[in-house]
Amino acid sequence: MLTVENLSKTFHPGTVDEKKALNQISFHLKKGDFVTIIGSNGAGKSTLFNAICGDFMTDEGRILLDGQDITFKPSHVRSRDIGRLFQDPMRGSAPGMSIEENLALAAGNGGWFSGIKKSDREKFREQLALLDMGLENRMKQPVGLLSGGQRQALTLMMATLTVPKLLILDEHTAALDPATADKVLRITKEVVAKHNITTLMVTHNMQNALELGNRTFMMDSGHIVLDIQGEERSKLGVADLLERFRLGAGKNLDNDRILLS
Amino acid sequence: MNFIDVLSLGQTTLELGLICSLTVLALFLSYTMLNVCDLSTDGCFTLGASVGAIVAISGHPYLAIVAAMAAGVCSGFITALLQTKMGVDSLLAGIIVNTGLYSVNIAVMNGSSLLNMNKTVTIFTKMKALLSGTFLSGQYVLIVSLLAVALVVAFLTFFLRTKLGLAIRATGNNPDMVKSSSIDPVFTTIVGLCVANSFTALSGCLLSQSQKSTDINIGTGMVTIALASLLIGNAFMGRGSILKRAIGVVLGAIVFRVVYAIALRLQMPAFMLKLVSSVIVILAISGPYLKKQYPIIKRVMQGRMASKASDKAAKEDK
Ligand SMILES: Nc1ncnc2c1ncn2[C@@H]1O[C@H](COP(=O)(O)OP(=O)(O)OP(=O)(O)O)[C@@H](O)[C@H]1O
Ligand SMILES: [Mg+2]
């Protein structure tokens, strides 16, 4: 589904600030793969996501999504096939617009001049009810009134309303309190499983990294230093994971947001 | 001043408010919705007036309206292109286009800075002829402007709820979200500014035709006047449905003109109009800001006072 070949990106080349954030990264994901990614601060996790989504032009390499070369496509074109969530819950929805309007924008069906139809509303209501946050009764309210967790759950819904080919989650629960984070994570798991969405998720929670999905990448200094799946992965505990990281990267995993349990 | 005078003054005020509210509706789209402060408004207003006047004078009263709006679209397109594709800062783009339009407008008016339309057939004279003999015969300006405002408000309420309208609103409301979505902010900004500027030009066209003359300075200061009206309107009805807010904006434009008319009656000289609108904009924008800052200012003042007092006490101790 997603193929990344020799992807490289250097920020500020030729200056003292030169930073090789992605260094010849290659991997291939099958349809339905759910990869969790861990790594130290500044390892290049977010940069990898930004490169896949087209926030900047990469220096080298190719990105293929579902057989299509998207390396040179502008980000808003890629976004038709890629759903994306950030750490900041405020980033994914428009606070001054109602829940319903945000969803209509994300649904993306109909032409430019189509409005919100009754059938759309019903569909939104059903979907919102699945979140179990009472949002289905607040569809006309501006999104700015929602809590962070509610907004992140809504963003997740918006990202998956039309099922994307790829879902990209960059620590999307890191800014939420533990209970809400669990809830959003549970919804994530359900949505991804239901539609069999190919997913990349950065997390700082080691336990989640092992429990969720079917594959784990560990990143350091712009490399994927470890790529584990299958039986090898299922036997691993958090301590083993950290040890494997130390062996792969030649240093300890150093992340200020890390959660070991 | 007798009753008839008050009535006719009230009517002119209402007409002026309605015609100018079209510019305010344009800013409602560009400033409130798209979050772009479009400083080409003055020039675009005059562009609508001059293009409308020239086409009307050459004998096409209906085409004049269409041409004026089309000219507004072109002007909006250039302003938008400068800020989305050519690296010009958004405020600067408006200022540059505004300056350039001054020459364009004089060129459109065949090199003169004043066009007389006393004998020109316009949409207003057409309406006057249509209504002659009915009880509405004196109200042709009011009716034309009411129709125009109703059409624009209806269009905006429809448009801002379509998918394109939602995309434009999102562009203004959360640029971060739009950057990582399938909406192209370049496209939405261009569409938003084109539509907004067509309303501004329509406003200018109708004002000059209702006054039967076009002056190169007809649009000067319009952006501030319109902003003042917009902020007054927001104070009335800043929340709720788009329709409610759009109507609030129109009311804001009328209230602005009423307040101004009253001030004129109270011997305020006419040249004060622009200062008054500036002050209203300052109050409306800084007011809420200062109100938010007030607790901090208060805290600092109290802190200073307390430390002065303790300094004094320490000195006295010595
Ligand atoms: N736009 C940019 N310009 C310059 N340098 C950048 C830019 N984006 C990222 N970097 C640098 O690239 C490196 C990788 O950053 P990135 O944000 O991908 O790290 P990360 O793995 O997401 O870390 P964290 O766990 O802290 O989120 C960092 O050294 C960062 O300073
Ligand atoms: Mg990151």
Side-chain angles (χ1 to χ4, degrees):
Chain A
M1 178 54 81
L2 176 72
T3 307
V4 169
E5 283 174 8
N6 299 321
L7 207 62
S8 294
K9 175 72 187 178
T10 305
F11 289 112
H12 310 299
T15 69
V16 284
D17 293 328
E18 183 169 299
K19 174 79 204 175
K20 200 155 179 103
L22 296 180
N23 198 344
Q24 301 279 330
I25 294 221
S26 299
F27 59 88
H28 174 78
L29 303 188
K30 296 194 295 294
K31 169 136 181 69
D33 267 351
F34 185 161
V35 181
T36 56
I37 305 181
I38 52 176
S40 8
N41 290 121
K45 307 179 294 291
S46 300
T47 307
L48 174 64
F49 283 5
N50 296 344
I52 294 172
C53 294
D55 290 357
F56 51 74
M57 194 54 73
T58 46
D59 302 333
E60 269 179 79
R62 292 204 307 163
I63 308 164
L64 292 112
L65 182 61
D66 199 15
Q68 265 195 359
D69 190 336
I70 58 166
T71 318
F72 302 106
K73 291 241 170 81
S75 70
H76 64 91
V77 174
R78 300 185 200 194
S79 295
R80 287 178 204 149
D81 294 324
I82 304 179
R84 189 178 189 190
L85 265 74
F86 298 92
Q87 185 175 336
D88 180 2
M90 304 303 145
R91 227 181 128 163
S93 45
M97 292 162 62
S98 68
I99 295 182
E100 172 181 293
E101 287 168 338
N102 270 279
L103 285 169
L105 203 52
N109 52 357
W112 279 119
F113 292 102
S114 61
I116 306 175
K117 289 190 284 289
K118 213 176 154 203
S119 57
D120 295 330
R121 281 202 186 91
E122 247 130 60
K123 185 177 156 207
F124 298 160
R125 188 181 298 280
E126 269 171 37
Q127 297 275 324
L128 286 169
L130 296 180
L131 298 181
D132 195 21
M133 290 176 161
L135 297 185
E136 64 276 15
N137 302 319
R138 302 170 63 181
M139 296 207 330
K140 301 261 184 220
Q141 287 184 15
V143 164
L145 299 178
L146 305 186
S147 71
Q150 288 171 332
R151 263 181 94 165
Q152 201 67 320
L154 178 69
T155 310
L156 184 61
M157 245 198 76
M158 289 167 63
T160 52
L161 208 53
T162 38
V163 178
K165 290 180 178 165
L166 179 68
L167 182 62
I168 284 205
L169 309 166
D170 193 351
E171 302 197 47
H172 70 303
T173 59
L176 309 176
D177 66 78
T180 317
D182 276 348
K183 189 159 191 177
V184 171
L185 218 50
R186 180 181 58 75
I187 300 167
T188 308
K189 221 165 21 179
E190 285 167 8
V191 174
V192 168
K194 185 168 162 199
H195 303 291
N196 195 28
I197 308 173
T198 314
T199 304
L200 284 167
M201 177 175 102
V202 170
T203 179
H204 55 278
N205 184 319
M206 295 293 122
Q207 202 67 46
N208 288 342
L210 283 174
E211 281 170 11
L212 286 169
N214 61 337
R215 193 169 165 186
T216 299
F217 290 169
M218 296 185 126
M219 286 188 68
D220 187 60
S221 327
H223 295 277
I224 296 180
V225 293
L226 207 64
D227 173 2
I228 39 173
Q229 51 188 321
E231 210 183 323
E232 182 191 8
R233 183 174 182 261
S234 53
K235 284 191 295 205
L236 236 51
V238 171
D240 309 318
L241 198 63
L242 291 174
E243 179 58 18
R244 292 289 295 269
F245 182 90
R246 205 176 58 77
L247 290 175
K251 62 177 183 197
N252 283 323
L253 180 64
D254 170 28
N255 189 310
D256 57 6
R257 289 189 294 281
I258 206 150
L259 284 176
L260 294 174
S261 58
Chain B
M1 194 159 118
N2 61 34
F3 183 66
I4 302 292
D5 281 347
V6 174
L7 216 59
S8 95
L9 181 68
Q11 179 166 358
T12 354
T13 308
L14 187 60
E15 290 164 359
L16 199 57
L18 281 172
I19 292 177
C20 292
S21 77
L22 295 170
T23 305
V24 189
L25 287 166
L27 291 198
F28 177 62
L29 179 58
S30 62
Y31 184 74
T32 311
M33 291 295 156
L34 198 54
N35 201 17
V36 170
C37 191
D38 182 3
L39 294 182
S40 71
T41 298
D42 292 7
C44 185
F45 190 89
T46 313
L47 180 70
S50 56
V51 169
I54 284 293
V55 178
I57 288 171
S58 66
H60 305 283
Y62 299 117
L63 190 62
I65 309 285
V66 180
M69 292 181 76
V73 169
C74 295
S75 160
F77 181 76
I78 293 171
T79 314
L81 206 63
L82 286 177
Q83 58 188 281
T84 51
K85 281 284 179 197
M86 298 174 74
V88 182
D89 171 80
S90 134
L91 289 177
L92 193 56
I95 294 173
I96 291 170
V97 169
N98 191 45
T99 307
L101 279 176
Y102 185 84
S103 308
V104 172
N105 290 333
I106 293 195
V108 168
M109 302 202 295
N110 292 323
S112 93
S113 55
L114 188 69
L115 286 180
N116 191 313
M117 289 190 281
N118 269 330
K119 299 206 169 58
T120 310
V121 178
T122 64
I123 188 153
F124 292 101
T125 62
K126 286 267 183 192
M127 182 59 85
K128 188 176 180 183
L130 191 71
L131 293 174
S132 74
T134 69
F135 72 103
L136 285 170
S137 61
Q139 309 293 335
Y140 58 95
V141 176
L142 190 64
I143 292 194
V144 171
S145 21
L146 260 179
L147 270 177
V149 169
L151 282 176
V152 169
V153 167
F155 173 79
L156 272 181
T157 33
F158 161 76
F159 180 66
L160 288 171
R161 283 193 300 217
T162 62
K163 215 187 117 199
L164 181 55
L166 292 177
I168 287 176
R169 288 164 62 194
T171 308
N173 197 225
N174 192 348
D176 273 344
M177 159 193 177
V178 168
K179 229 185 280 164
S180 55
S181 78
S182 55
I183 302 167
D184 180 4
V186 173
F187 176 66
T188 49
T189 305
I190 289 177
V191 173
L193 286 185
C194 284
V195 173
N197 278 283
S198 75
F199 297 155
T200 307
L202 173 65
S203 184
C205 171
L206 291 184
L207 184 64
S208 75
Q209 297 195 352
S210 71
Q211 294 178 343
K212 295 197 168 79
S213 81
T214 299
D215 181 300
I216 187 67
N217 291 319
I218 193 169
T220 309
M222 212 54 199
V223 67
T224 317
I225 294 173
L227 262 182
S229 310
L230 180 71
L231 296 168
I232 294 175
N234 280 348
F236 290 150
M237 297 190 204
R239 280 162 208 287
S241 67
I242 298 285
L243 176 64
K244 209 174 126 200
R245 292 170 70 181
I247 291 175
V249 156
V250 174
L251 289 181
I254 295 170
V255 167
F256 178 84
R257 291 292 168 175
V258 168
V259 171
Y260 175 64
I262 293 173
L264 282 185
R265 290 303 310 168
L266 299 175
Q267 310 303 326
M268 184 186 80
F271 62 76
M272 292 298 283
L273 167 68
K274 276 154 199 169
L275 181 61
V276 171
S277 59
S278 297
V279 171
I280 292 181
V281 171
I282 293 173
L283 287 180
I285 296 179
S286 309
Y289 171 79
L290 291 176
K291 207 168 138 193
K292 235 174 40 199
Q293 296 291 307
Y294 177 68
I296 304 175
I297 298 172
K298 200 169 124 192
R299 167 94 178 80
V300 170
M301 295 303 253
Q302 280 171 348
R304 284 212 185 121
M305 237 119 81
S307 69
K308 251 190 208 145
S310 66
D311 280 358
K312 210 170 147 196
K315 260 187 201 150
E316 277 166 8
D317 272 354
K318 275 185 192 168

